[in-house]
């Protein structure tokens, strides 16, 4: 990490190379932490997320955080309130506090920048996630479903699964 002179408050400008920022696997998603509350004086946290096809962020509400997504790659469907909104590369989604929302990934892979303000949400990822040494999506194999057809199933240790690995631009 490259640091610069102090700014107002205790936060300092910094630059992280892609291999310097910590990353975690949590809820089937690769989370690269670009900024946490300790670096921003609690103002915000920012992630780059890599999500496999079929991943669903269930409907939820943030009581105090604003949340924003910028779609880098893939096709998502966001649910905002009762409305479903398709969102592809270049789409920006802003969600004020207390708005029910969620999303699902329609394409083979989805990649987003995700920012919440104020910070704090990142502690869930850091505390509950598994450290991720490489950017890899969980492999999803098809298994017979109880009611016919096929269902997607996550491998038990996706960060060790060589069956799916994106390019090294992460």
């Amino acid at each position: 990490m490259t640091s610069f002179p102090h700014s107002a408050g205790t936060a300092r400008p910094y630059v992280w190379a892609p291999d310097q920022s910590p990353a975690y696997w949590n809820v089937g998603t690769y989370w690269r932490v670009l900024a946490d509350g300790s670096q921003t004086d609690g103002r915000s946290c920012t992630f780059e997320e890599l999500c496999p096809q079929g991943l669903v962020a269930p409907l939820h509400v943030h009581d105090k955080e604003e949340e924003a997504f910028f779609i880098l790659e893939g096709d998502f469907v966001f649910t905002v309130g009762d409305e479903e909104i398709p969102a592809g590369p270049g789409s920006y989604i802003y969600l004020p506090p207390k708005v029910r929302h969620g999303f699902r990934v329609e394409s083979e892979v989805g990649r987003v920048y995700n920012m919440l303000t104020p910070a704090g949400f990142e502690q869930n990822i850091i505390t509950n996630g598994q450290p991720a040494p490489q950017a890899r999506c969980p492999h999803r194999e098809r298994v017979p479903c109880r009611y016919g057809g096929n269902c997607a199933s996550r491998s038990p240790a996706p960060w060790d699964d060589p069956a799916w690995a994106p390019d090294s631009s992460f």
Side-chain angles (χ1 to χ4, degrees):
M1 175 167 63
T2 303
S3 293
F4 299 93
H6 279 306
S7 62
T10 59
R12 294 176 60 115
Y14 67 93
V15 175
W16 259 349
D19 62 344
Q20 293 176 312
S21 50
Y24 302 89
W25 279 108
N26 194 21
V27 294
T29 299
Y30 174 88
W31 303 75
R32 191 176 118 201
V33 181
L34 302 174
D36 67 32
S38 70
Q39 297 159 314
T40 65
D41 281 341
R43 291 182 188 98
S44 65
C45 59
T46 307
F47 307 98
E48 182 174 17
E49 296 175 36
L50 187 61
C51 311
Q53 184 176 33
L55 181 101
V56 174
L59 292 174
H60 62 283
V61 173
H62 298 284
D63 289 329
K64 63 180 182 173
E65 296 89 358
E66 296 177 345
E67 186 169 23
F69 294 87
F70 183 75
I71 309 298
L72 298 165
E73 179 181 346
D75 297 311
F76 291 74
V77 175
F78 278 79
T79 301
V80 180
D82 293 327
E83 188 176 353
E84 286 199 342
I85 304 163
S91 296
Y92 179 79
I93 299 91
Y94 168 75
L95 302 159
K98 301 189 185 306
V99 171
R100 186 178 72 119
H101 63 281
F103 67 81
R104 70 180 179 271
V105 180
E106 299 281 305
S107 53
E108 183 179 338
V109 66
R111 194 167 140 229
V112 300
Y113 281 145
N114 178 214
M115 181 178 190
L116 292 97
T117 183
F121 178 82
E122 77 280 8
Q123 293 307 314
N124 293 317
I125 304 306
I126 294 166
T127 301
N128 298 318
Q130 293 283 333
Q134 297 180 23
R136 291 186 179 171
C137 258
H139 176 66
R140 296 172 66 85
E141 59 189 46
R142 298 289 176 179
V143 296
C145 287
R146 181 175 173 184
Y147 301 105
N150 289 316
C151 295
S153 172
R154 288 191 186 93
S155 65
W159 47 89
D160 292 329
D161 187 352
W164 195 102
D167 65 41
S168 60
S169 64
F170 218 28

